[in-house]
Amino acid sequence: MTDFKLKVCCMGAGYVGGPTMAVIAKQCPDIRVCVVDISQKQIDGWNSAELPIYEPGLREVVDECVGRNLFFSTDVEAEIDAADIVFISVNTPTKTQGIGAGRMANIKNCELCARTIAKVSTSNKIVVEKSTVPVRTAQAIARVLQSNDKGLDFQILSNPEFLAEGTAIADLMNPDRVLIGGQQTEAGLKAAETLASVYAHWVPREQILTTNLWSSELSKLVANAFLAQRVSSINSISALCEATGADVQEISRAVGMDDRIGKRFLQPSVGFGGSCFQKDILNLVYLCESYGLEECAAYWNQTILMNDFQKKRFTEKMVGKMFNTVTGKKIAMFGYAFKKDTGDVRETPSMFVLRDLLQEQAKIHVFDPQVKRGDMWWELD
């Protein structure tokens, strides 16, 4: 562990932590990178021939670096203690009960990570929020870390990911921007520069943006909200087109050729899915409500309502086109993940369509080359 310029530890071996650290290891051979997780099954998967997640190009990156300067381990405490920089890249699901249930993000896992870092660390560290979190989560993490009784200094940074599943490796290799938020103090700016120097191994300096902590935390929520809003916008127009006889594909093309609008995220669909869009918008809605901005909350919540409407409308249209009954009819569903080139089934629109068709007593046959059977049933339950 002493032969490297810098030692990085990432807590969380999921869709963000694994690919991000693999690319850092590939681009920074002078940095030791270790991804840790309390799940032995998850770590065994990363150390095996069959990775726990599917992402085009990921296998090649991992094979190039693993055992050289990329490692996967369940020895969480030892790796944290040895690291100079610790990334927190754990799940922050929407709360299912209590205050803010159904909208507020649950940052329990982030707090547990912070408590572990405070407990096992014997040297100063830079702690980086990689998880998508509500604004001012860094403040809560800082309070936990500052409670250590060893006189250690922890600098908290926000470094949100802007990855799209299916193109994550390409996004990491050629990012539009890297965002780093930190305290606007001498120590905070120095910590931000240390992290920036890691990305500067392959990202041009002008694409590495530094902001204050709160701007960085909020930027990720806003980015996902804007993208999801475009999906809901074109889907709302698809309903209008079907009613009027217009062609939504032609409208999408005409509108997308306007440089002020652009063509991306203007393809009509069953609706958006994945682990981020809905969770982050609901989090944004809750934040707006918390600060008394009811009109702002209602505005962003409409994006979710439109998405639910589109999924429901799709199923109802299917049933209507099949003589208003699908009972006993065999229906093939090609693709179950929420988008192509991924095996992620979280909040996939396919699940909602499948659920509604099952309630209509249809017989569904699902095929997806990247989705594991157990994951499909888990999401459906």
Side-chain angles (χ1 to χ4, degrees), residues 324-348:
N324 290 316
T325 179
V326 293
T327 300
K329 294 178 180 177
K330 183 185 289 188
I331 298 174
M333 181 178 287
F334 292 98
Y336 191 78
F338 82 95
K339 63 184 291 189
K340 69 177 184 178
D341 289 330
T342 182
D344 193 352
V345 299
R346 291 175 292 180
E347 295 294 333
T348 173

mmCIF file with all atom_site columns, all heavy atoms in Angstrom, residues 324-348:
data_model
loop_
_atom_site.group_PDB
_atom_site.id
_atom_site.type_symbol
_atom_site.label_atom_id
_atom_site.label_alt_id
_atom_site.label_comp_id
_atom_site.label_asym_id
_atom_site.label_entity_id
_atom_site.label_seq_id
_atom_site.pdbx_PDB_ins_code
_atom_site.Cartn_x
_atom_site.Cartn_y
_atom_site.Cartn_z
_atom_site.occupancy
_atom_site.B_iso_or_equiv
_atom_site.pdbx_formal_charge
_atom_site.auth_seq_id
_atom_site.auth_comp_id
_atom_site.auth_asym_id
_atom_site.auth_atom_id
_atom_site.pdbx_PDB_model_num
ATOM 1   N N   . ASN A 1 324 ? -60.372 -5.237  -25.974 1.00 0.00 ? 324 ASN A N   1
ATOM 2   C CA  . ASN A 1 324 ? -60.677 -4.894  -24.581 1.00 0.00 ? 324 ASN A CA  1
ATOM 3   C C   . ASN A 1 324 ? -60.519 -6.052  -23.608 1.00 0.00 ? 324 ASN A C   1
ATOM 4   O O   . ASN A 1 324 ? -61.072 -6.024  -22.505 1.00 0.00 ? 324 ASN A O   1
ATOM 5   C CB  . ASN A 1 324 ? -62.094 -4.311  -24.462 1.00 0.00 ? 324 ASN A CB  1
ATOM 6   C CG  . ASN A 1 324 ? -62.183 -2.936  -25.100 1.00 0.00 ? 324 ASN A CG  1
ATOM 7   O OD1 . ASN A 1 324 ? -61.305 -2.100  -24.917 1.00 0.00 ? 324 ASN A OD1 1
ATOM 8   N ND2 . ASN A 1 324 ? -63.237 -2.709  -25.876 1.00 0.00 ? 324 ASN A ND2 1
ATOM 9   N N   . THR A 1 325 ? -59.777 -7.082  -23.985 1.00 0.00 ? 325 THR A N   1
ATOM 10  C CA  . THR A 1 325 ? -59.468 -8.154  -23.037 1.00 0.00 ? 325 THR A CA  1
ATOM 11  C C   . THR A 1 325 ? -58.166 -8.833  -23.444 1.00 0.00 ? 325 THR A C   1
ATOM 12  O O   . THR A 1 325 ? -57.916 -9.084  -24.627 1.00 0.00 ? 325 THR A O   1
ATOM 13  C CB  . THR A 1 325 ? -60.594 -9.201  -22.962 1.00 0.00 ? 325 THR A CB  1
ATOM 14  O OG1 . THR A 1 325 ? -60.200 -10.233 -22.022 1.00 0.00 ? 325 THR A OG1 1
ATOM 15  C CG2 . THR A 1 325 ? -60.876 -9.839  -24.314 1.00 0.00 ? 325 THR A CG2 1
ATOM 16  N N   . VAL A 1 326 ? -57.322 -9.111  -22.444 1.00 0.00 ? 326 VAL A N   1
ATOM 17  C CA  . VAL A 1 326 ? -56.098 -9.887  -22.682 1.00 0.00 ? 326 VAL A CA  1
ATOM 18  C C   . VAL A 1 326 ? -56.112 -11.155 -21.839 1.00 0.00 ? 326 VAL A C   1
ATOM 19  O O   . VAL A 1 326 ? -55.114 -11.853 -21.732 1.00 0.00 ? 326 VAL A O   1
ATOM 20  C CB  . VAL A 1 326 ? -54.833 -9.054  -22.358 1.00 0.00 ? 326 VAL A CB  1
ATOM 21  C CG1 . VAL A 1 326 ? -54.667 -7.907  -23.341 1.00 0.00 ? 326 VAL A CG1 1
ATOM 22  C CG2 . VAL A 1 326 ? -54.869 -8.541  -20.920 1.00 0.00 ? 326 VAL A CG2 1
ATOM 23  N N   . THR A 1 327 ? -57.219 -11.448 -21.231 1.00 0.00 ? 327 THR A N   1
ATOM 24  C CA  . THR A 1 327 ? -57.342 -12.626 -20.369 1.00 0.00 ? 327 THR A CA  1
ATOM 25  C C   . THR A 1 327 ? -56.976 -13.891 -21.149 1.00 0.00 ? 327 THR A C   1
ATOM 26  O O   . THR A 1 327 ? -57.556 -14.173 -22.206 1.00 0.00 ? 327 THR A O   1
ATOM 27  C CB  . THR A 1 327 ? -58.767 -12.764 -19.826 1.00 0.00 ? 327 THR A CB  1
ATOM 28  O OG1 . THR A 1 327 ? -59.088 -11.593 -19.068 1.00 0.00 ? 327 THR A OG1 1
ATOM 29  C CG2 . THR A 1 327 ? -58.897 -13.992 -18.932 1.00 0.00 ? 327 THR A CG2 1
ATOM 30  N N   . GLY A 1 328 ? -55.995 -14.627 -20.641 1.00 0.00 ? 328 GLY A N   1
ATOM 31  C CA  . GLY A 1 328 ? -55.580 -15.875 -21.256 1.00 0.00 ? 328 GLY A CA  1
ATOM 32  C C   . GLY A 1 328 ? -54.717 -15.716 -22.485 1.00 0.00 ? 328 GLY A C   1
ATOM 33  O O   . GLY A 1 328 ? -54.253 -16.722 -23.048 1.00 0.00 ? 328 GLY A O   1
ATOM 34  N N   . LYS A 1 329 ? -54.468 -14.495 -22.941 1.00 0.00 ? 329 LYS A N   1
ATOM 35  C CA  . LYS A 1 329 ? -53.674 -14.275 -24.145 1.00 0.00 ? 329 LYS A CA  1
ATOM 36  C C   . LYS A 1 329 ? -52.178 -14.239 -23.805 1.00 0.00 ? 329 LYS A C   1
ATOM 37  O O   . LYS A 1 329 ? -51.784 -13.681 -22.782 1.00 0.00 ? 329 LYS A O   1
ATOM 38  C CB  . LYS A 1 329 ? -54.094 -12.976 -24.827 1.00 0.00 ? 329 LYS A CB  1
ATOM 39  C CG  . LYS A 1 329 ? -55.522 -13.026 -25.372 1.00 0.00 ? 329 LYS A CG  1
ATOM 40  C CD  . LYS A 1 329 ? -55.947 -11.717 -26.002 1.00 0.00 ? 329 LYS A CD  1
ATOM 41  C CE  . LYS A 1 329 ? -57.387 -11.815 -26.523 1.00 0.00 ? 329 LYS A CE  1
ATOM 42  N NZ  . LYS A 1 329 ? -57.865 -10.546 -27.088 1.00 0.00 ? 329 LYS A NZ  1
ATOM 43  N N   . LYS A 1 330 ? -51.383 -14.848 -24.668 1.00 0.00 ? 330 LYS A N   1
ATOM 44  C CA  . LYS A 1 330 ? -49.942 -14.889 -24.460 1.00 0.00 ? 330 LYS A CA  1
ATOM 45  C C   . LYS A 1 330 ? -49.311 -13.637 -25.056 1.00 0.00 ? 330 LYS A C   1
ATOM 46  O O   . LYS A 1 330 ? -49.475 -13.340 -26.245 1.00 0.00 ? 330 LYS A O   1
ATOM 47  C CB  . LYS A 1 330 ? -49.345 -16.130 -25.101 1.00 0.00 ? 330 LYS A CB  1
ATOM 48  C CG  . LYS A 1 330 ? -47.831 -16.271 -24.864 1.00 0.00 ? 330 LYS A CG  1
ATOM 49  C CD  . LYS A 1 330 ? -47.249 -17.455 -25.622 1.00 0.00 ? 330 LYS A CD  1
ATOM 50  C CE  . LYS A 1 330 ? -47.715 -18.769 -25.000 1.00 0.00 ? 330 LYS A CE  1
ATOM 51  N NZ  . LYS A 1 330 ? -46.988 -19.920 -25.642 1.00 0.00 ? 330 LYS A NZ  1
ATOM 52  N N   . ILE A 1 331 ? -48.568 -12.908 -24.230 1.00 0.00 ? 331 ILE A N   1
ATOM 53  C CA  . ILE A 1 331 ? -47.923 -11.662 -24.650 1.00 0.00 ? 331 ILE A CA  1
ATOM 54  C C   . ILE A 1 331 ? -46.423 -11.765 -24.391 1.00 0.00 ? 331 ILE A C   1
ATOM 55  O O   . ILE A 1 331 ? -46.006 -12.111 -23.278 1.00 0.00 ? 331 ILE A O   1
ATOM 56  C CB  . ILE A 1 331 ? -48.502 -10.450 -23.902 1.00 0.00 ? 331 ILE A CB  1
ATOM 57  C CG1 . ILE A 1 331 ? -49.996 -10.303 -24.218 1.00 0.00 ? 331 ILE A CG1 1
ATOM 58  C CG2 . ILE A 1 331 ? -47.751 -9.168  -24.265 1.00 0.00 ? 331 ILE A CG2 1
ATOM 59  C CD1 . ILE A 1 331 ? -50.696 -9.221  -23.423 1.00 0.00 ? 331 ILE A CD1 1
ATOM 60  N N   . ALA A 1 332 ? -45.613 -11.516 -25.411 1.00 0.00 ? 332 ALA A N   1
ATOM 61  C CA  . ALA A 1 332 ? -44.154 -11.548 -25.266 1.00 0.00 ? 332 ALA A CA  1
ATOM 62  C C   . ALA A 1 332 ? -43.638 -10.148 -24.963 1.00 0.00 ? 332 ALA A C   1
ATOM 63  O O   . ALA A 1 332 ? -44.039 -9.173  -25.601 1.00 0.00 ? 332 ALA A O   1
ATOM 64  C CB  . ALA A 1 332 ? -43.512 -12.083 -26.537 1.00 0.00 ? 332 ALA A CB  1
ATOM 65  N N   . MET A 1 333 ? -42.761 -10.062 -23.991 1.00 0.00 ? 333 MET A N   1
ATOM 66  C CA  . MET A 1 333 ? -42.155 -8.786  -23.612 1.00 0.00 ? 333 MET A CA  1
ATOM 67  C C   . MET A 1 333 ? -40.648 -8.894  -23.851 1.00 0.00 ? 333 MET A C   1
ATOM 68  O O   . MET A 1 333 ? -39.943 -9.603  -23.136 1.00 0.00 ? 333 MET A O   1
ATOM 69  C CB  . MET A 1 333 ? -42.459 -8.465  -22.138 1.00 0.00 ? 333 MET A CB  1
ATOM 70  C CG  . MET A 1 333 ? -41.896 -7.138  -21.667 1.00 0.00 ? 333 MET A CG  1
ATOM 71  S SD  . MET A 1 333 ? -42.333 -6.766  -19.946 1.00 0.00 ? 333 MET A SD  1
ATOM 72  C CE  . MET A 1 333 ? -44.071 -6.357  -20.112 1.00 0.00 ? 333 MET A CE  1
ATOM 73  N N   . PHE A 1 334 ? -40.163 -8.208  -24.872 1.00 0.00 ? 334 PHE A N   1
ATOM 74  C CA  . PHE A 1 334 ? -38.743 -8.249  -25.204 1.00 0.00 ? 334 PHE A CA  1
ATOM 75  C C   . PHE A 1 334 ? -38.054 -7.055  -24.535 1.00 0.00 ? 334 PHE A C   1
ATOM 76  O O   . PHE A 1 334 ? -38.198 -5.918  -24.975 1.00 0.00 ? 334 PHE A O   1
ATOM 77  C CB  . PHE A 1 334 ? -38.547 -8.211  -26.723 1.00 0.00 ? 334 PHE A CB  1
ATOM 78  C CG  . PHE A 1 334 ? -39.019 -9.457  -27.412 1.00 0.00 ? 334 PHE A CG  1
ATOM 79  C CD1 . PHE A 1 334 ? -40.268 -9.504  -28.007 1.00 0.00 ? 334 PHE A CD1 1
ATOM 80  C CD2 . PHE A 1 334 ? -38.224 -10.597 -27.442 1.00 0.00 ? 334 PHE A CD2 1
ATOM 81  C CE1 . PHE A 1 334 ? -40.714 -10.654 -28.639 1.00 0.00 ? 334 PHE A CE1 1
ATOM 82  C CE2 . PHE A 1 334 ? -38.664 -11.751 -28.065 1.00 0.00 ? 334 PHE A CE2 1
ATOM 83  C CZ  . PHE A 1 334 ? -39.907 -11.786 -28.670 1.00 0.00 ? 334 PHE A CZ  1
ATOM 84  N N   . GLY A 1 335 ? -37.330 -7.353  -23.475 1.00 0.00 ? 335 GLY A N   1
ATOM 85  C CA  . GLY A 1 335 ? -36.656 -6.309  -22.719 1.00 0.00 ? 335 GLY A CA  1
ATOM 86  C C   . GLY A 1 335 ? -37.378 -6.016  -21.422 1.00 0.00 ? 335 GLY A C   1
ATOM 87  O O   . GLY A 1 335 ? -38.589 -5.759  -21.426 1.00 0.00 ? 335 GLY A O   1
ATOM 88  N N   . TYR A 1 336 ? -36.655 -6.087  -20.320 1.00 0.00 ? 336 TYR A N   1
ATOM 89  C CA  . TYR A 1 336 ? -37.256 -5.810  -19.019 1.00 0.00 ? 336 TYR A CA  1
ATOM 90  C C   . TYR A 1 336 ? -36.494 -4.728  -18.256 1.00 0.00 ? 336 TYR A C   1
ATOM 91  O O   . TYR A 1 336 ? -37.066 -4.040  -17.429 1.00 0.00 ? 336 TYR A O   1
ATOM 92  C CB  . TYR A 1 336 ? -37.314 -7.094  -18.181 1.00 0.00 ? 336 TYR A CB  1
ATOM 93  C CG  . TYR A 1 336 ? -38.147 -6.964  -16.935 1.00 0.00 ? 336 TYR A CG  1
ATOM 94  C CD1 . TYR A 1 336 ? -39.539 -7.006  -17.002 1.00 0.00 ? 336 TYR A CD1 1
ATOM 95  C CD2 . TYR A 1 336 ? -37.556 -6.768  -15.687 1.00 0.00 ? 336 TYR A CD2 1
ATOM 96  C CE1 . TYR A 1 336 ? -40.309 -6.874  -15.862 1.00 0.00 ? 336 TYR A CE1 1
ATOM 97  C CE2 . TYR A 1 336 ? -38.323 -6.634  -14.543 1.00 0.00 ? 336 TYR A CE2 1
ATOM 98  C CZ  . TYR A 1 336 ? -39.699 -6.686  -14.635 1.00 0.00 ? 336 TYR A CZ  1
ATOM 99  O OH  . TYR A 1 336 ? -40.470 -6.550  -13.497 1.00 0.00 ? 336 TYR A OH  1
ATOM 100 N N   . ALA A 1 337 ? -35.214 -4.570  -18.540 1.00 0.00 ? 337 ALA A N   1
ATOM 101 C CA  . ALA A 1 337 ? -34.439 -3.502  -17.900 1.00 0.00 ? 337 ALA A CA  1
ATOM 102 C C   . ALA A 1 337 ? -35.028 -2.148  -18.279 1.00 0.00 ? 337 ALA A C   1
ATOM 103 O O   . ALA A 1 337 ? -35.756 -2.024  -19.267 1.00 0.00 ? 337 ALA A O   1
ATOM 104 C CB  . ALA A 1 337 ? -32.977 -3.578  -18.330 1.00 0.00 ? 337 ALA A CB  1
ATOM 105 N N   . PHE A 1 338 ? -34.696 -1.122  -17.524 1.00 0.00 ? 338 PHE A N   1
ATOM 106 C CA  . PHE A 1 338 ? -35.348 0.169   -17.763 1.00 0.00 ? 338 PHE A CA  1
ATOM 107 C C   . PHE A 1 338 ? -34.839 0.867   -19.015 1.00 0.00 ? 338 PHE A C   1
ATOM 108 O O   . PHE A 1 338 ? -35.461 1.813   -19.502 1.00 0.00 ? 338 PHE A O   1
ATOM 109 C CB  . PHE A 1 338 ? -35.213 1.084   -16.538 1.00 0.00 ? 338 PHE A CB  1
ATOM 110 C CG  . PHE A 1 338 ? -33.905 1.833   -16.433 1.00 0.00 ? 338 PHE A CG  1
ATOM 111 C CD1 . PHE A 1 338 ? -33.794 3.116   -16.923 1.00 0.00 ? 338 PHE A CD1 1
ATOM 112 C CD2 . PHE A 1 338 ? -32.795 1.263   -15.822 1.00 0.00 ? 338 PHE A CD2 1
ATOM 113 C CE1 . PHE A 1 338 ? -32.603 3.826   -16.825 1.00 0.00 ? 338 PHE A CE1 1
ATOM 114 C CE2 . PHE A 1 338 ? -31.601 1.956   -15.718 1.00 0.00 ? 338 PHE A CE2 1
ATOM 115 C CZ  . PHE A 1 338 ? -31.507 3.231   -16.217 1.00 0.00 ? 338 PHE A CZ  1
ATOM 116 N N   . LYS A 1 339 ? -33.715 0.395   -19.577 1.00 0.00 ? 339 LYS A N   1
ATOM 117 C CA  . LYS A 1 339 ? -33.205 0.935   -20.835 1.00 0.00 ? 339 LYS A CA  1
ATOM 118 C C   . LYS A 1 339 ? -32.250 -0.093  -21.433 1.00 0.00 ? 339 LYS A C   1
ATOM 119 O O   . LYS A 1 339 ? -31.890 -1.077  -20.785 1.00 0.00 ? 339 LYS A O   1
ATOM 120 C CB  . LYS A 1 339 ? -32.497 2.279   -20.621 1.00 0.00 ? 339 LYS A CB  1
ATOM 121 C CG  . LYS A 1 339 ? -31.260 2.178   -19.730 1.00 0.00 ? 339 LYS A CG  1
ATOM 122 C CD  . LYS A 1 339 ? -30.628 3.523   -19.457 1.00 0.00 ? 339 LYS A CD  1
ATOM 123 C CE  . LYS A 1 339 ? -29.995 4.121   -20.679 1.00 0.00 ? 339 LYS A CE  1
ATOM 124 N NZ  . LYS A 1 339 ? -29.195 5.328   -20.368 1.00 0.00 ? 339 LYS A NZ  1
ATOM 125 N N   . LYS A 1 340 ? -31.814 0.140   -22.649 1.00 0.00 ? 340 LYS A N   1
ATOM 126 C CA  . LYS A 1 340 ? -30.925 -0.810  -23.308 1.00 0.00 ? 340 LYS A CA  1
ATOM 127 C C   . LYS A 1 340 ? -29.521 -0.770  -22.704 1.00 0.00 ? 340 LYS A C   1
ATOM 128 O O   . LYS A 1 340 ? -29.131 0.197   -22.045 1.00 0.00 ? 340 LYS A O   1
ATOM 129 C CB  . LYS A 1 340 ? -30.850 -0.527  -24.809 1.00 0.00 ? 340 LYS A CB  1
ATOM 130 C CG  . LYS A 1 340 ? -30.130 0.766   -25.180 1.00 0.00 ? 340 LYS A CG  1
ATOM 131 C CD  . LYS A 1 340 ? -30.041 0.905   -26.699 1.00 0.00 ? 340 LYS A CD  1
ATOM 132 C CE  . LYS A 1 340 ? -29.233 2.152   -27.084 1.00 0.00 ? 340 LYS A CE  1
ATOM 133 N NZ  . LYS A 1 340 ? -29.099 2.291   -28.540 1.00 0.00 ? 340 LYS A NZ  1
ATOM 134 N N   . ASP A 1 341 ? -28.774 -1.841  -22.939 1.00 0.00 ? 341 ASP A N   1
ATOM 135 C CA  . ASP A 1 341 ? -27.376 -1.963  -22.517 1.00 0.00 ? 341 ASP A CA  1
ATOM 136 C C   . ASP A 1 341 ? -27.196 -1.894  -21.008 1.00 0.00 ? 341 ASP A C   1
ATOM 137 O O   . ASP A 1 341 ? -26.199 -1.360  -20.502 1.00 0.00 ? 341 ASP A O   1
ATOM 138 C CB  . ASP A 1 341 ? -26.497 -0.899  -23.197 1.00 0.00 ? 341 ASP A CB  1
ATOM 139 C CG  . ASP A 1 341 ? -26.302 -1.181  -24.678 1.00 0.00 ? 341 ASP A CG  1
ATOM 140 O OD1 . ASP A 1 341 ? -26.322 -2.366  -25.064 1.00 0.00 ? 341 ASP A OD1 1
ATOM 141 O OD2 . ASP A 1 341 ? -26.127 -0.227  -25.450 1.00 0.00 ? 341 ASP A OD2 1
ATOM 142 N N   . THR A 1 342 ? -28.166 -2.374  -20.272 1.00 0.00 ? 342 THR A N   1
ATOM 143 C CA  . THR A 1 342 ? -28.035 -2.482  -18.823 1.00 0.00 ? 342 THR A CA  1
ATOM 144 C C   . THR A 1 342 ? -28.898 -3.628  -18.329 1.00 0.00 ? 342 THR A C   1
ATOM 145 O O   . THR A 1 342 ? -29.827 -4.057  -19.023 1.00 0.00 ? 342 THR A O   1
ATOM 146 C CB  . THR A 1 342 ? -28.446 -1.168  -18.116 1.00 0.00 ? 342 THR A CB  1
ATOM 147 O OG1 . THR A 1 342 ? -28.245 -1.306  -16.703 1.00 0.00 ? 342 THR A OG1 1
ATOM 148 C CG2 . THR A 1 342 ? -29.907 -0.844  -18.367 1.00 0.00 ? 342 THR A CG2 1
ATOM 149 N N   . GLY A 1 343 ? -28.580 -4.119  -17.141 1.00 0.00 ? 343 GLY A N   1
ATOM 150 C CA  . GLY A 1 343 ? -29.412 -5.144  -16.524 1.00 0.00 ? 343 GLY A CA  1
ATOM 151 C C   . GLY A 1 343 ? -30.190 -4.602  -15.341 1.00 0.00 ? 343 GLY A C   1
ATOM 152 O O   . GLY A 1 343 ? -30.785 -5.352  -14.573 1.00 0.00 ? 343 GLY A O   1
ATOM 153 N N   . ASP A 1 344 ? -30.212 -3.287  -15.186 1.00 0.00 ? 344 ASP A N   1
ATOM 154 C CA  . ASP A 1 344 ? -30.851 -2.647  -14.041 1.00 0.00 ? 344 ASP A CA  1
ATOM 155 C C   . ASP A 1 344 ? -32.372 -2.620  -14.228 1.00 0.00 ? 344 ASP A C   1
ATOM 156 O O   . ASP A 1 344 ? -32.877 -2.089  -15.226 1.00 0.00 ? 344 ASP A O   1
ATOM 157 C CB  . ASP A 1 344 ? -30.316 -1.218  -13.889 1.00 0.00 ? 344 ASP A CB  1
ATOM 158 C CG  . ASP A 1 344 ? -30.677 -0.597  -12.550 1.00 0.00 ? 344 ASP A CG  1
ATOM 159 O OD1 . ASP A 1 344 ? -31.470 -1.209  -11.805 1.00 0.00 ? 344 ASP A OD1 1
ATOM 160 O OD2 . ASP A 1 344 ? -30.166 0.496   -12.248 1.00 0.00 ? 344 ASP A OD2 1
ATOM 161 N N   . VAL A 1 345 ? -33.084 -3.171  -13.271 1.00 0.00 ? 345 VAL A N   1
ATOM 162 C CA  . VAL A 1 345 ? -34.549 -3.233  -13.369 1.00 0.00 ? 345 VAL A CA  1
ATOM 163 C C   . VAL A 1 345 ? -35.245 -2.292  -12.390 1.00 0.00 ? 345 VAL A C   1
ATOM 164 O O   . VAL A 1 345 ? -36.474 -2.283  -12.309 1.00 0.00 ? 345 VAL A O   1
ATOM 165 C CB  . VAL A 1 345 ? -35.051 -4.674  -13.118 1.00 0.00 ? 345 VAL A CB  1
ATOM 166 C CG1 . VAL A 1 345 ? -34.477 -5.630  -14.144 1.00 0.00 ? 345 VAL A CG1 1
ATOM 167 C CG2 . VAL A 1 345 ? -34.706 -5.151  -11.708 1.00 0.00 ? 345 VAL A CG2 1
ATOM 168 N N   . ARG A 1 346 ? -34.497 -1.486  -11.681 1.00 0.00 ? 346 ARG A N   1
ATOM 169 C CA  . ARG A 1 346 ? -35.104 -0.614  -10.676 1.00 0.00 ? 346 ARG A CA  1
ATOM 170 C C   . ARG A 1 346 ? -36.043 0.406   -11.326 1.00 0.00 ? 346 ARG A C   1
ATOM 171 O O   . ARG A 1 346 ? -35.653 1.138   -12.221 1.00 0.00 ? 346 ARG A O   1
ATOM 172 C CB  . ARG A 1 346 ? -34.013 0.093   -9.866  1.00 0.00 ? 346 ARG A CB  1
ATOM 173 C CG  . ARG A 1 346 ? -33.238 -0.844  -8.963  1.00 0.00 ? 346 ARG A CG  1
ATOM 174 C CD  . ARG A 1 346 ? -32.090 -0.157  -8.261  1.00 0.00 ? 346 ARG A CD  1
ATOM 175 N NE  . ARG A 1 346 ? -31.036 0.224   -9.188  1.00 0.00 ? 346 ARG A NE  1
ATOM 176 C CZ  . ARG A 1 346 ? -29.910 0.840   -8.820  1.00 0.00 ? 346 ARG A CZ  1
ATOM 177 N NH1 . ARG A 1 346 ? -29.715 1.167   -7.555  1.00 0.00 ? 346 ARG A NH1 1
ATOM 178 N NH2 . ARG A 1 346 ? -28.991 1.161   -9.723  1.00 0.00 ? 346 ARG A NH2 1
ATOM 179 N N   . GLU A 1 347 ? -37.298 0.419   -10.873 1.00 0.00 ? 347 GLU A N   1
ATOM 180 C CA  . GLU A 1 347 ? -38.331 1.338   -11.368 1.00 0.00 ? 347 GLU A CA  1
ATOM 181 C C   . GLU A 1 347 ? -38.529 1.229   -12.883 1.00 0.00 ? 347 GLU A C   1
ATOM 182 O O   . GLU A 1 347 ? -38.970 2.192   -13.518 1.00 0.00 ? 347 GLU A O   1
ATOM 183 C CB  . GLU A 1 347 ? -38.002 2.790   -10.989 1.00 0.00 ? 347 GLU A CB  1
ATOM 184 C CG  . GLU A 1 347 ? -38.016 3.083   -9.501  1.00 0.00 ? 347 GLU A CG  1
ATOM 185 C CD  . GLU A 1 347 ? -39.406 2.963   -8.874  1.00 0.00 ? 347 GLU A CD  1
ATOM 186 O OE1 . GLU A 1 347 ? -40.383 3.151   -9.601  1.00 0.00 ? 347 GLU A OE1 1
ATOM 187 O OE2 . GLU A 1 347 ? -39.473 2.682   -7.665  1.00 0.00 ? 347 GLU A OE2 1
ATOM 188 N N   . THR A 1 348 ? -38.238 0.066   -13.465 1.00 0.00 ? 348 THR A N   1
ATOM 189 C CA  . THR A 1 348 ? -38.390 -0.071  -14.903 1.00 0.00 ? 348 THR A CA  1
ATOM 190 C C   . THR A 1 348 ? -39.858 0.024   -15.311 1.00 0.00 ? 348 THR A C   1
ATOM 191 O O   . THR A 1 348 ? -40.723 -0.598  -14.681 1.00 0.00 ? 348 THR A O   1
ATOM 192 C CB  . THR A 1 348 ? -37.796 -1.401  -15.409 1.00 0.00 ? 348 THR A CB  1
ATOM 193 O OG1 . THR A 1 348 ? -38.107 -1.558  -16.800 1.00 0.00 ? 348 THR A OG1 1
ATOM 194 C CG2 . THR A 1 348 ? -38.365 -2.602  -14.653 1.00 0.00 ? 348 THR A CG2 1
#
